Amino acid sequence: NAGVTQTPKFQVLKTGQSMTLQCAQDMNHNSMYWYRQDPGMGLRLIYYSASEGTTDKGEVPNGYNVSRLNKREFSLRLESAAPSQTSVYFCASTQLPGLAGEQFFGPGTRLTVL
Amino acid sequence: GDSVTQMEGPVTLSEEAFLTINCTYTATGYPSLFWYVQYPGEGLQLLLKATKADDKGSNKGFEATYRKETTSFHLEKGSVQVSDSAVYFCALTGGSYIPTFGRGTSLIVHP
């Protein structure tokens, strides 16, 4: 079991460029999440997918789009990157959202936008 | 809405010292409570959890007790090691799909 995998691990973009962050889980989990982590801000939820075929906005969705490609994969797209999107991005999944539902996190993608 | 408040860090300790990281929460109903740990350069991983009042979660020498009367879930360890240096996040899940995380507390343990 690989758990939650993310690609790429590191990325440098120029302002205005686009890119897609990939996330996959092999635990047959129903719900998947994208967070960003910035110094002093903790984790902030960007988007989540409660189940295959559904996606919803989190706390900070502006500038991002997501696709729940199938039950395993949940991608995050930056259409026109901005320096404010420099951050560490984490994907997470859970089998039991809500009570008792621990989250499993990927290793993160470290993104720098110049 | 739900919220989690953690003590601000960094917490700096010498090896073998006693650790407490405070966590209090606000939530409707009866949430489940979690502590996650994040080692440098890695994602978060579950350290321990408790799903009902008075439950004690424990793992790797760390403990936390779900106190509904004080809405708290403080993390403790009797003797910390250098390898415990990390960021610790308190979190809760209630009836929705979205968990609530605290801002994290950095722990630095010196030899």
Side-chain angles (χ1 to χ4, degrees):
Chain A
N1 267 359
V4 179
T5 57
Q6 292 183 236
T7 55
K9 286 187 169 35
F10 300 92
Q11 184 71 49
V12 178
L13 292 177
K14 294 181 180 178
T15 296
Q17 288 185 316
S18 62
M19 78 162 294
T20 300
L21 282 65
Q22 306 287 353
C23 173
Q25 52 88 10
D26 62 1
M27 297 171 283
N28 201 36
H29 285 174
N30 289 314
S31 301
M32 298 184 73
Y33 304 76
W34 276 106
Y35 296 92
R36 60 178 290 173
Q37 185 178 31
D38 303 291
M41 301 294 290
L43 288 174
R44 291 186 290 172
L45 182 65
I46 304 170
Y47 272 93
Y48 68 101
S49 170
S51 60
E52 185 179 357
T54 69
T55 60
D56 284 287
K57 296 178 181 179
E59 182 185 353
V60 289
N62 290 347
Y64 305 95
N65 284 300
V66 290
S67 295
R68 183 74 183 268
L69 303 169
N70 47 55
K71 192 171 185 180
R72 291 186 63 248
E73 298 172 288
F74 188 38
S75 63
L76 178 71
R77 183 160 178 83
L78 286 69
E79 290 291 351
S80 179
S84 61
Q85 294 177 306
T86 293
S87 187
V88 182
Y89 292 85
F90 290 101
C91 178
S93 70
T94 184
Q95 174 63 4
L96 297 170
L99 292 175
E102 70 171 280
Q103 295 216 317
F104 292 80
F105 284 81
T109 294
R110 285 144 186 84
L111 175 67
T112 301
V113 183
L114 303 175
Chain B
D2 297 347
S3 67
V4 172
T5 302
Q6 292 181 235
M7 58 190 294
E8 288 195 20
V11 173
T12 305
L13 296 172
S14 297
E15 207 165 23
E16 299 183 4
F18 185 86
L19 168 70
T20 300
I21 300 178
N22 290 338
C23 171
T24 57
Y25 68 91
T26 303
T28 53
Y30 301 91
S32 294
L33 302 174
F34 304 82
W35 277 102
Y36 290 85
V37 59
Q38 183 181 30
Y39 298 104
E42 299 183 9
L44 281 71
Q45 56 186 277
L46 181 70
L47 180 60
L48 53 85
K49 70 178 184 182
T51 58
K52 60 183 189 296
D54 300 325
D55 267 4
K56 178 186 282 188
S58 62
N59 186 25
K60 299 181 182 179
F62 290 89
E63 292 183 340
T65 301
Y66 189 146
R67 301 284 189 203
K68 186 157 179 64
E69 64 276 12
T70 55
T71 61
S72 65
F73 193 54
H74 304 322
L75 183 68
E76 297 182 335
K77 187 176 185 183
S79 176
V80 294
Q81 306 300 312
V82 172
S83 57
D84 294 327
S85 298
V87 181
Y88 293 83
F89 290 88
C90 185
L92 69 83
T93 59
S96 78
Y97 287 99
I98 303 174
T100 301
F101 287 86
R103 290 198 169 189
T105 302
S106 175
L107 171 65
I108 301 169
V109 181
H110 294 294

